[in-house]
Amino acid sequence: MILFYRNLNHTRNLVQIYHRTNPRYYCCGKEWTEDVEYLDESGSIIYSGKGIRSVEPGLDDHVMVGAFKKPILNASAVAKLVEIVKRWRWGPDMDTQLDKLQFIPNMTHIMQALKVMQDSDASLSLFRWAKRQPWYNPNDACYITLFDKLNQSRDFDGIQSVFEDMVLDSGENGAASLFKAYNRVIQYLAKAEKFEVAFCCFKKIQESGCIVDTGTYNSLITVFLNNGLLYKAFEIYENMEKAGCSLDASSYELMIPSLAKSGRLDAAFKLFQQMKVNNYRPGFGIFASLVDSMGKAGRLDTSLKVYTEMQGFGLRPSATLFVSLIESFVKAGRLETALRLWDEMKKSGFRPNYGLYTMIVESHAKSGKLDVAMSVFSDMEKAGFLPTPSTYSSLLEMHAAAGHVDAAMKLYNSMTNAGLRPGLSTYTSLLTLLAKKKLLDVSAKILLEMKAMGYSVDVNASDVLMVYIKDGSVDLALRWLRFMGSSAIRTNNFIIRQLFESCMKNGLYESAKPLLATYVNSAAKVDLILYTSILAHLVRCQDENNERHLMSILSATRHKAHTFMCGLFTGPEQRKQPVLTFVREFFQGIDYELEEGASRYFVNVLLNYLVLMGQINRARCVWKVAYENKLFPKAIVFDQHIAWSLDVRNLSVGAALIAVVHTLHRFRKRMLYYGVVPRRIKLVTGPTLKIVVAQMLSSVESPFEVSKVVLRAPGDAVLDWFKKPIVQQFLLNEIPSRADVLMHKLNILFPTSAPEIRSLSPPKPLVAGKAI
């Protein structure tokens, strides 16, 4: 039998004990019956004598050297443990061999054996065996050694399993003794990104009452921040505060940037102040995150304050920090501060990048600071940066808005010469500017270039046309429309109608008729308002040649109202029905839900025309039917025996005169035939129509007194007036044609469908009645 062990001075000399005996001898009881020679490594005998065995394997902590007890050295015990574990690795065989050890191991042996072994599985097997022994005692250092081995081999399942065992071992009062091991587990799991397991372990050690150190808190905060779980990181931080665990420099470096970037700016700034109070020096990362986050949140003064404080700490701003600051101030519209930071950036030796140049140029251009924008734009070109279409566009559009034709065209030429394709908004701004400056030829050139670029130019061409129309440049509008036609560029019916109305307004009737023909031939429908507006021009017209053009234009509308107009002036034989019936049929065909306002407009103009033409009876028929169809529902009011009134304020001159005569005729019939006499009768005329109506009634000596806007008379006086033969003739037949009584120019537009414009000049003589 051979025994190997280490001596006390760890010289690693092995003492070999050879048992030389006759095979027939054997061990009996506790004594050896043969001689035993103890040899050294060279084979020399160091002792010879009877062997006496007073050692019980697995119970004693010594071996016998001759008659002497010699303790088993730790090195020897550890070597034996390592040898067995390496040979058998795991399982019942290993447990059996360990159970046969001739000495009793202790936790020191286990811990040192774990340090020597490289295989984490073997280490775990030895630890599991030790846990089953009666001499096992939980040991912080032993757990730490085992966790280190498992972490090196990336066996995180093993770490979690051992952690569960450690929780059971700690018991009620042993958690503090395993303080370091607990924290080591969480740190390893956190660094391995096992954040769910790490957080679970963290909760368990909190429940066990174990103290969590700052490094562990930092590890957990880091892993949660790295995985975007900000709320979890803040939860850990709150636990850290509750536990009274003081933050160290690394904790501040972790938390402040994270709080700032997540928008919790007040908390971040509070920690920043606390860090300085605790005599920690903030690093560049903290300053940069606060400056950037405060700026983006619009807290520009605080951002600038932190930036200044950073310089006071001797830290040099980076190019990225300058860019962030400048962007924040530019977006907030504080361009003066942004420009100052821009200068500081260049003085610090940083070269502004392409995006920053673009931002400075565009922001100043859009703010109308074209001098600064053009200066930076020039620097940008000198720095070798090719401006983007956006930069060109912002400058060009602002020059266009300011009316700078030369500067805008120069930018446009530079842009196209650089091979850049102007955007739609750029073309629109440039064309609008050229149109406002009435540079028609240049506008045409730009539009054709735009078309060659592949853009659809119909809308832009129509916009230019509308600029000329709104400006009243009808000749230019017509020239531009001819250019559009020659270039196969189309416009819409709305603009054609606008141009037609402009031509009508300016008396260009020969140019207006082709436009109307184009409008009608493109399947556009002439509505009642447009037809009425043409009729209004005819009412005002005093030139026979123009009257023929206007009648031709009215005919070209193909509107049913023109058929009605023509039928109205024919005889009963051709109409084959009375005038009143004819008028009623026309008004029955009107959709009052859609055309009520247009119908009122038409009635007003038509009555003007009929009175002007001397067709009083026809005019009275039109008014009667219009009133029947409730186009003027509040014109006549009967207040029993108190007051009767007629309101003509919303009527044209012709309509007002016809309404007065027709309504007074109704009042006369009620008073004479039915005996109903009100206290008073009012004619509400307004200031415009007051003189015309008053002069008409004064020709037959009416009792109506004229006030500011009303003609009023007592009912009895009006009754006496109605009984006069001249009044009966006046009300039944027609309005006297005295020139000083009737309308003056009939240049009045009408309510509801169009703005109400009435001439405030004194009435002028009415021309004699006409016939079509």
Side-chain angles (χ1 to χ4, degrees), residues 508-711:
L508 302 175
Y509 301 127
E510 292 184 12
S511 300
K513 186 175 179 181
L515 292 172
L516 183 63
T518 302
Y519 183 76
V520 174
N521 293 334
S522 63
K525 184 181 179 182
V526 175
D527 56 22
L528 188 57
I529 291 178
L530 182 58
Y531 179 85
T532 306
S533 67
I534 301 170
L535 180 60
H537 284 285
L538 180 61
V539 171
R540 301 187 193 101
C541 183
Q542 296 181 356
D543 181 83
E544 290 186 5
N545 189 41
N546 288 338
E547 283 184 0
R548 286 194 293 271
H549 284 301
L550 287 167
M551 290 302 296
S552 176
I553 292 171
L554 283 170
S555 178
T557 61
R558 303 177 189 174
H559 196 276
K560 61 182 180 179
H562 188 66
T563 306
F564 168 72
M565 280 279 296
C566 294
L568 197 61
F569 282 91
T570 59
E573 298 81 9
Q574 294 172 302
R575 279 197 311 269
K576 298 181 180 179
Q577 57 183 341
V579 175
L580 188 59
T581 305
F582 180 70
V583 173
R584 280 177 175 154
E585 283 186 1
F586 171 75
F587 278 92
Q588 285 173 357
I590 295 176
D591 185 352
Y592 290 101
E593 290 186 4
L594 300 176
E595 297 183 296
E596 183 177 358
S599 300
R600 280 195 289 267
Y601 180 28
F602 176 67
V603 168
N604 275 300
V605 177
L606 178 59
L607 289 176
N608 265 355
Y609 184 63
L610 291 174
V611 170
L612 185 64
M613 299 299 292
Q615 302 296 324
I616 305 304
N617 288 331
R618 288 179 172 83
R620 293 180 72 160
C621 288
V622 171
W623 169 256
K624 182 176 182 179
V625 173
Y627 188 77
E628 287 175 354
N629 285 277
K630 298 182 180 179
L631 287 178
F632 306 98
K634 296 181 181 180
I636 303 174
V637 177
F638 292 102
D639 190 4
Q640 299 299 329
H641 296 281
I642 300 174
W644 295 350
S645 65
L646 169 66
D647 190 342
V648 297
R649 286 175 295 180
N650 293 329
L651 301 180
S652 66
V653 176
L657 295 177
I658 294 298
V660 167
V661 174
H662 182 76
T663 305
L664 287 176
H665 177 63
R666 289 187 62 190
F667 289 173
R668 180 177 180 275
K669 184 184 291 187
R670 275 184 170 239
M671 294 172 72
L672 295 179
Y673 294 171
Y674 301 107
V676 180
V677 180
R679 294 180 186 176
R680 60 184 175 275
I681 293 178
K682 295 190 300 182
L683 302 177
V684 185
T685 60
T688 306
L689 298 173
K690 176 180 64 176
I691 299 174
V692 177
V693 174
Q695 287 181 347
M696 178 187 71
L697 294 178
S698 65
S699 64
V700 287
E701 300 177 352
S702 76
F704 288 94
E705 296 180 356
V706 181
S707 63
K708 291 183 179 179
V709 295
V710 177
L711 278 72

Side-chain angles (χ1 to χ4, degrees), residues 206 211-212 217 237-246:
Q206 273 193 320
I211 299 174
V212 182
Y217 278 119
Y237 167 67
E238 290 169 357
N239 286 331
M240 190 176 184
E241 281 191 322
K242 289 177 182 177
C245 185
S246 60

